[in-house]
Amino acid sequence: MKPVYFDHAATTPLHPEVLKAMLPYLEDHFGNASSPHSYGQEAARAVEQAREEIASLINADSREIIFTGSGTEADNFALKGIVEKLKSRGHRIITSSIEHHAVEVTCRYLEKKGFEVTYLPVDKDGLVPPEELKKALTEQTILVSIMHANNEVGTIEPIKELAKVAHEKGVLFHTDAVQTVGSIPVDVKELGVDLLSLSAHKFYGPKGVGALYLRKGVAIEPFIHGGGQERGLRSGTTNVPGIVGLGKAAKLAKEELKERMEHNIALRERMIKGLEECLSDYILTGHRRQRLPGNVSLCVHYIEGESMLLLLNTEGFACSSGSACTSGSLEPSHVLLAMGIGPQLAQGSLRITLGRENREEDVDRFLEVLPRVVERLRRMSPFKAQK
Ligand code: PLP
């Protein structure tokens, strides 16, 4: 039997309706969206419809959407494109210490290119305090990039307040909303952001397609040079089936958002309550309420997360110990360390991310399995011996 999938923050299964919408564009409607003939025009129309759908989901104008090859690409585009454009005005960037590698590693690269990056601290719940941003802004700051919600612990950041602080100093604000678009309401006008990244595969769309929201009037340097697609900002033959899938996933997310959130919150709370009753020596991580609907994350004392994941997989549950990229590395998560969790406890991290196909029975069975797995690992734990 296939394990129960509890790793929706890493990726989600394709929604059957999304697959259905994509298939004609992998078969009959294979045209190049830049071609003037009817094959091309048909593809171009589908791409523009998808642009409308994604814009409608985040309350943007369709002309403010640029399709990219992933959320990572949208983050790279936002950061590199803006600092390249504004480098004559200043050389400072502000971000947080809990960003996804897509932003963090891009910032490290920009440091090598001569930019100065400030990594804002977070509190014990993973929140970036707006006062810290206020203190860090200088005349030289050209961009602030802070994620909308953290992919490991699920904390939702106070983006509206943070963007306001940046704007008071006339500084552009980007948010990596890869974990929030399609999971909670995201309204670019309400948040007041200038740029926002999103990715289709986090909300039941296909992998390898994302988008950057670029507020009208914000100038950016082109990211990929070539045939001039995406208004000359991101060249490359248009990924029509992928974009159609993104559009359909956005439409479904808009229609089903409330229901999906209620479903995930109910399962999350069942899981958290169940953990209190069946597990000892652990802490929940992330903000208790201001968090993603489907995220349950914890650190279990005296064990090592990777062994826990392997045993859980053999017992029928696919979970994660953090982000998909940090899983597999034995380094403790930079997110947990930034939240003040010690390296040893951080090694025992476990992330369960719920989704639309999960059921109460899955949660209940998990609550029976987890304590057994933890007990077994603790019996052979070198950490426990040091207690
Ligand atoms: N940003 C965040 C917060 C993420 O969680 C992820 C994926 O895990 C990404 C960016 C990268 O998105 P993609 O997988 O589309 O490159």
Side-chain angles (χ1 to χ4, degrees):
M1 213 171 67
K2 271 206 222 158
V4 171
Y5 190 71
F6 274 167
D7 200 10
H8 293 79
T11 194
T12 54
L14 204 61
H15 195 299
E17 293 289 319
V18 171
L19 177 62
K20 216 155 97 192
M22 290 171 71
L23 281 175
Y25 295 91
L26 289 157
E27 293 172 334
D28 296 346
H29 309 319
F30 58 84
N32 183 326
S34 302
S35 301
H37 50 62
S38 49
Y39 288 89
Q41 290 316 296
E42 184 150 36
R45 265 198 304 279
V47 167
E48 291 320 304
Q49 193 190 325
R51 209 185 295 280
E52 299 279 348
E53 306 284 15
I54 193 68
S56 160
L57 180 65
I58 62 169
N59 193 25
D61 188 283
S62 61
R63 285 165 297 184
E64 296 172 315
I65 302 294
I66 304 160
F67 290 120
T68 63
S70 60
T72 301
E73 188 189 313
D75 284 338
N76 271 260
F77 187 1
L79 271 75
K80 294 175 186 165
I82 291 294
V83 303
E84 180 65 30
K85 194 82 190 170
L86 299 182
K87 65 184 178 197
S88 60
R89 260 206 244 160
H91 64 284
R92 284 177 175 269
I93 303 163
I94 300 175
T95 188
S96 82
S97 46
I98 59 162
E99 295 297 312
H100 186 273
H101 292 307
V103 167
E104 192 216 331
V105 178
T106 305
C107 284
R108 303 271 177 220
Y109 164 82
L110 291 171
E111 281 179 303
K112 282 197 217 130
K113 295 275 161 193
F115 291 92
E116 272 184 54
V117 183
T118 304
Y119 299 86
L120 295 178
V122 293
D123 69 11
K124 65 177 192 357
D125 294 325
L127 288 169
V128 178
E131 321 73 88
E132 292 292 338
L133 174 58
K134 200 174 251 176
K135 276 194 275 172
L137 284 158
T138 73
E139 291 300 312
Q140 288 291 309
T141 310
I142 50 175
L143 180 65
V144 176
S145 178
I146 296 172
M147 67 197 324
H148 192 188
N150 182 266
N151 46 300
E152 295 185 34
V153 297
T155 299
I156 301 172
E157 299 298 336
I159 294 301
K160 190 175 170 176
E161 288 78 10
L162 292 163
K164 190 160 169 265
V165 170
H167 288 161
E168 277 163 8
K169 286 269 184 188
V171 178
L172 291 175
F173 194 96
H174 164 253
T175 190
D176 173 345
V178 167
Q179 288 291 336
T180 53
V181 170
S183 292
I184 60 169
V186 175
D187 178 327
V188 288
K189 296 198 176 70
E190 167 73 16
L191 292 173
V193 295
D194 303 295
L195 302 103
L196 175 146
S197 309
L198 61 94
S199 178
H201 75 103
K202 305 292 183 176
F203 56 104
Y204 308 100
K207 290 163 189 60
V209 56
L212 178 67
Y213 157 78
L214 179 70
R215 184 173 60 75
K216 188 166 172 278
V218 177
I220 195 163
E221 204 55 32
F223 189 57
I224 300 183
H225 302 89
Q229 290 88 347
E230 297 297 301
R231 290 189 285 124
L233 296 171
R234 198 273 183 189
S235 291
T237 299
T238 310
N239 171 11
V240 180
I243 290 170
V244 166
L246 169 59
K248 185 69 182 179
K251 185 167 188 286
L252 291 166
K254 194 169 175 184
E255 288 163 7
E256 297 174 6
L257 196 61
K258 189 164 168 281
E259 193 187 310
R260 285 186 197 174
M261 284 177 67
E262 283 169 4
H263 171 83
N264 282 347
I265 289 171
L267 292 185
R268 180 188 80 194
E269 294 305 307
R270 189 180 184 92
M271 174 88 78
I272 290 177
K273 186 157 171 290
L275 287 171
E276 271 168 26
E277 286 158 16
C278 73
L279 197 65
S280 61
D281 291 323
Y282 72 96
I283 57 160
L284 289 174
T285 51
H287 195 280
R288 183 64 186 83
R289 289 172 312 281
Q290 208 167 308
R291 68 184 302 118
L292 290 168
N295 177 295
V296 179
S297 50
L298 55 150
C299 287
V300 187
H301 278 280
Y302 322 122
I303 56 174
E304 194 272 300
E306 289 299 310
S307 331
M308 181 160 47
L309 291 188
L310 294 176
L311 270 184
L312 283 170
N313 192 56
T314 37
E315 295 277 347
F317 294 94
C319 309
S320 157
S321 63
S323 83
C325 332
T326 37
S327 275
S329 117
L330 289 176
E331 286 295 304
S333 138
H334 69 290
V335 174
L336 298 174
L337 298 181
M339 288 164 60
I341 294 169
Q344 192 171 312
L345 180 54
Q347 291 283 7
S349 74
L350 176 63
R351 179 186 74 176
I352 299 127
T353 44
L354 305 154
R356 56 190 285 279
E357 74 285 1
N358 293 142
R359 295 286 164 261
E360 281 183 355
E361 305 83 86
D362 301 328
V363 171
D364 295 347
R365 202 158 62 76
F366 181 77
L367 290 167
E368 280 167 27
V369 166
L370 181 67
R372 263 197 279 130
V373 164
V374 167
E375 200 38 54
R376 196 165 141 201
L377 289 169
R378 275 188 186 148
R379 262 187 264 127
M380 44 193 182
S381 162
F383 300 150
K384 181 86 178 188
Q386 295 161 16
K387 191 183 171 186

